[in-house]
Amino acid sequence: MPADCLFCKIIAGEIPGNKAAETDKILAFHDIAPQAPVHVLVIHKQHTPGVADTTDNAIFGDLLGGVRDTAKQLGLSDYRVVLNNGAEAGQSVFHMHAHILGGRPLKWPPG
Ligand code: AMP
């Protein structure tokens, strides 16, 4: 784990996270600055910086399976899943994460 990775620190319990769901592979926690009534981040416990850096496709399967299961646990039927890749796309934490956004109607296109 990179020493300076915020989300690795949340996985390790060094920084508190408001947990929504957890398995041996996945952690889901509520975003600290929610953009919707439900805004949860789903991360893989294996560090990878982003979509473009991920070489093991199983990580994508684990991550999206975690999204599906977390959304179900939260009682969401309609929601948006966002993975920002790169700073220009809005990525600010370089530990790959899927945003689950729901609980209100969502507009398209995103900004
Ligand atoms: P992104 O901009 O796609 O990299 O998403 C990073 C997300 O992490 C943002 O929505 C932040 O609000 C969120 N975030 C940053 N620090 C924390 C934290 N300590 N706990 C929960 N969410 C965080």
Side-chain angles (χ1 to χ4, degrees):
M1 122 184 185
D4 58 346
C5 175
L6 175 67
F7 288 175
C8 284
K9 287 181 180 168
I10 291 177
I11 292 166
E14 294 168 15
I15 289 177
N18 184 4
K19 189 162 71 176
E22 184 169 18
T23 69
D24 56 333
K25 292 182 176 149
I26 291 298
L27 179 66
F29 53 97
H30 295 271
D31 198 290
I32 204 167
Q35 301 301 312
V38 180
H39 186 176
V40 167
L41 303 175
V42 182
I43 62 176
H44 203 286
K45 290 183 177 177
Q46 187 176 322
H47 179 91
T48 181
V51 171
D53 307 285
T54 302
T55 52
D56 181 358
N57 284 350
I59 290 183
F60 294 129
D62 293 339
L63 191 70
L64 270 183
V67 165
R68 176 200 58 204
D69 295 344
T70 301
K72 191 172 180 187
Q73 281 183 43
L74 292 167
L76 288 177
S77 58
D78 296 11
Y79 52 89
R80 183 170 294 165
V81 182
V82 175
L83 287 97
N84 294 323
N85 183 79
E88 199 170 320
Q91 187 175 9
S92 60
V93 179
F94 289 83
H95 180 128
M96 184 169 66
H97 50 280
H99 298 252
I100 300 175
L101 295 150
R104 66 167 169 82
L106 296 166
K107 294 191 176 125
W108 193 261

